[in-house]
Amino acid sequence: DEIDPYRAHSQQTDSSQQALYDSIDPFSEASQVAEPWGEQATDTACADRDDSESEDNAEPESQSSSVQHQTSNPAQPVPQLPVLRFTVGQMVDRSKRTPGFTFEVMTTIPSYKGRKYTGVERNQIEFERLEAHLRSTYPECLVPTLGPGTTTSKYVPDYQNDRLVVLLLQQWLNRVSVHPILRQDYELRQFVEAPFAFNPALTSSSAVGGSALSIAPQQGSGFFSWGKPKQRVVRSANPSPFDQQLETTADNMDAFQKNLSDTRRWHGRQARTRARLAIDLKDVGTKLVSVGVIEHNSGLGRSMKRLGKCFLHVGACAQTQSNLEGSRAIAVQDMYTVACDNVQKTLSNRQLIFTEHQVSERQLERKRQSVAVLRASATISPDQVQETLAEFNVAKTDADSKRQRAERVDKVLAADLQAFEANREGDFRALFSALGRDQLHIERQVLGEFKAVLDFVRHANDSSSSSTTSLAK
């Protein structure tokens, strides 16, 4: 029997992540904190409290009237965020190389044309396009990693677990729909409402999050090391507490990814070895059944056939164990191997965002100086004035957008990393629990089968002894 590895975890994840993003609102001006994990957050809160206390002492009459007004009215309910909920149905069009999925959507977001969408069908390529769009458009966000679209294990080619793929896809949609920035994306709405194929317009490579990342290759990588150059976060000279926390996170993700790659390789070997064992057990069972059929001794023939059926059943159980080890565990490990790379890229994007903010501020200052020079000049043409003012407005708009992104990147990244750590811990705990329950269930079946064989042999021995006694009398 299949056991849902995320049955207990998925329901808790949505509510916990919703509470996390509600407590750290990336768009709230009142919750702007320079160091989300440092001491400045506490200092800012204390300063705000001191300011509020001084204002209370300065204006006692106005505050007392407001307090009386608040106590006279009941507590107002906290406004709820708009709802966006996906429900994946099943996999369709298995005959095609690219699997397709059907899902339903319920939402209260005003930008959507409807409130409920049923029978929406998208394939794995369209889901990958959506993920690529979200990563390129929101480089300051840690976009959840999309699960594998294939259901065929590399080590167990005949095994296809559609349910696991649907569960991982449902998990990804849940985490995207909870994120306060990703859920508002225009292309996500088009992904739901587009009547035909979904093909979003990706941002250019020169934009943030494209190919122009300010990252340095590690030592021992590149062409002469026969490998791809790996990315790492550039260390800052005077790191803040939050920067130190991010550097520690980058080191942890690097170590976790290396160990996870080794674990995945040994998991594959274990699945492949158990698959061979299953074939051998089935061969032994088939031979025993064949010998039991041609055996002239009826009692011995029945025992051999019963033992052969036992080996066939044990071989099927070993095949099931191989399927579980070669598909479910490897799928989760592959997903988090990619997720570690995404964390490193997101941390590098943060550094690039601050660098682009500084560059835009310097460009704005140069444009401002050019405008001041033009104002002081007496021999300047009106066309040149208009051109300079237009360049200044473009630089100011660009600087404002880069400043807003730089102001919110730490808050968004802090919330995303907390959600990522909670998801990572919960996913692997659910995986280990599911593997343990499955193995225990299969081992009980194997032990029960051997116990049934033992009872059969004992019953046959008792029958033969009783018949022998009767013949002797």
Side-chain angles (χ1 to χ4, degrees):
D1 296 335
E2 288 293 334
I3 300 178
D4 186 355
Y6 304 101
R7 179 170 51 193
H9 172 61
S10 59
Q11 297 177 357
Q12 301 175 359
T13 303
D14 299 340
S15 59
S16 61
Q17 289 190 12
Q18 186 67 53
L20 174 64
Y21 285 121
D22 289 343
S23 61
I24 306 178
D25 187 3
F27 301 104
S28 176
E29 297 180 357
S31 63
Q32 290 184 0
V33 179
E35 301 293 340
W37 291 344
E39 298 178 354
Q40 296 185 7
T42 306
D43 299 339
T44 306
C46 294
D48 295 340
R49 184 177 58 189
D50 296 339
D51 295 340
S52 62
E53 291 178 355
S54 62
E55 292 177 359
D56 293 340
N57 297 330
E59 298 179 359
E61 296 181 358
S62 60
Q63 293 294 333
S64 61
S65 61
S66 62
V67 169
Q68 292 178 359
H69 178 69
Q70 292 179 359
T71 55
S72 61
N73 295 331
Q76 298 293 332
V78 179
Q80 299 293 331
L81 292 176
V83 176
L84 179 61
R85 186 178 297 111
F86 293 84
T87 304
V88 182
Q90 60 183 357
M91 184 179 295
V92 296
D93 292 339
R94 169 160 291 285
S95 59
K96 299 180 180 180
R97 292 189 60 182
T98 303
F101 307 91
T102 59
F103 58 92
E104 297 181 356
V105 183
M106 294 183 62
T107 181
T108 58
I109 299 179
S111 59
Y112 282 75
K113 298 179 181 179
R115 292 295 172 260
K116 185 176 182 180
Y117 302 84
T118 60
V120 183
E121 183 175 340
R122 293 287 180 263
N123 57 33
Q124 180 67 19
I125 294 179
E126 292 174 310
F127 277 99
E128 293 174 358
R129 290 172 181 171
L130 177 61
E131 182 192 24
H133 160 75
L134 294 176
R135 293 193 188 282
S136 61
T137 307
Y138 306 100
E140 73 275 14
C141 298
L142 184 56
V143 180
T145 303
L146 183 64
T150 178
T151 58
T152 303
S153 173
K154 175 182 178 181
Y155 303 98
V156 190
D158 295 335
Y159 182 70
Q160 294 179 342
N161 190 355
D162 295 352
R163 186 180 179 190
L164 173 63
V165 175
V166 170
L167 282 172
L168 294 177
L169 182 61
Q170 179 70 63
Q171 183 186 73
W172 184 78
L173 289 173
N174 291 343
R175 292 172 181 177
V176 170
S177 62
V178 168
H179 198 282
I181 297 178
L182 303 181
R183 70 202 305 266
Q184 303 288 341
D185 183 66
Y186 171 78
E187 294 294 345
L188 179 60
R189 178 166 66 89
Q190 292 297 111
F191 181 78
V192 175
E193 297 180 345
F196 303 107
F198 172 74
N199 191 9
L202 298 179
T203 58
S204 61
S205 59
S206 60
V208 177
S211 59
L213 291 176
S214 58
I215 51 180
Q218 294 180 350
Q219 295 181 358
S221 63
F223 177 77
F224 293 101
S225 62
W226 299 95
K228 295 176 63 179
K230 296 184 178 180
Q231 301 174 352
R232 65 177 177 88
V233 179
V234 180
R235 305 288 178 173
S236 56
N238 297 317
S240 62
F242 187 55
D243 290 331
Q244 295 177 358
Q245 182 69 29
L246 295 182
E247 292 174 359
T248 304
T249 300
D251 295 337
N252 293 338
M253 289 298 102
D254 186 42
F256 177 73
Q257 186 181 26
K258 293 179 180 178
N259 294 326
L260 192 62
S261 300
D262 296 337
T263 304
R264 182 200 181 281
R265 184 172 63 254
W266 286 106
H267 241 128
R269 293 182 180 180
Q270 180 183 4
R272 186 166 59 246
T273 303
R274 201 181 295 273
R276 295 171 182 170
L277 176 62
I279 295 174
D280 294 339
L281 289 172
K282 290 179 181 180
D283 290 341
V284 172
T286 303
K287 295 298 182 181
L288 287 174
V289 172
S290 301
V291 173
V293 169
I294 64 176
E295 176 61 38
H296 65 279
N297 188 338
S298 61
L300 181 59
R302 286 195 300 269
S303 298
M304 285 188 170
K305 287 190 290 185
R306 185 64 185 86
L307 184 60
K309 292 180 180 179
C310 174
F311 272 94
L312 288 174
H313 183 75
V314 173
C317 292
Q319 182 66 37
T320 303
Q321 287 179 309
S322 176
N323 294 339
L324 296 174
E325 295 167 352
S327 60
R328 177 179 300 171
I330 289 181
V332 176
Q333 290 167 3
D334 285 343
M335 187 176 65
Y336 272 94
T337 300
V338 178
C340 291
D341 286 334
N342 294 334
V343 171
Q344 299 284 0
K345 293 178 182 178
T346 304
L347 297 180
S348 300
N349 290 343
R350 172 183 177 269
Q351 296 176 342
L352 181 58
I353 287 174
F354 283 108
T355 301
E356 289 187 347
H357 170 57
Q358 296 173 359
V359 172
S360 63
E361 290 294 336
R362 289 195 294 267
Q363 291 179 352
L364 178 62
E365 183 62 26
R366 286 195 292 267
K367 298 299 180 182
R368 186 179 288 109
Q369 294 176 0
S370 299
V371 172
V373 170
L374 287 177
R375 289 179 177 177
S377 177
T379 60
I380 196 69
S381 62
D383 295 338
Q384 189 174 1
V385 172
Q386 294 295 331
E387 182 180 357
T388 305
L389 291 177
E391 293 177 354
F392 172 78
N393 292 330
V394 171
K396 186 176 184 303
T397 303
D398 181 68
D400 291 341
S401 63
K402 299 293 177 56
R403 176 180 54 81
Q404 293 175 1
R405 174 169 285 183
E407 288 176 353
R408 75 180 186 184
V409 61
D410 281 351
K411 292 178 294 181
V412 175
L413 189 57
D416 287 346
L417 288 177
Q418 293 181 27
F420 174 79
E421 288 298 328
N423 292 334
R424 185 165 66 106
E425 179 182 0
D427 289 347
F428 277 96
R429 282 187 176 182
L431 173 64
F432 300 152
S433 299
L435 286 176
R437 289 194 300 266
D438 289 342
Q439 297 289 348
L440 182 60
H441 179 70
I442 293 173
E443 293 296 338
R444 284 175 177 173
Q445 288 184 349
V446 173
L447 292 177
E449 190 66 25
F450 278 110
K451 185 177 181 299
V453 172
L454 183 60
D455 294 339
F456 178 83
V457 173
R458 287 176 179 175
H459 180 70
N461 291 335
D462 295 339
S463 301
S464 62
S465 61
S466 61
S467 62
T468 304
T469 304
S470 62
L471 289 176
K473 291 181 179 180

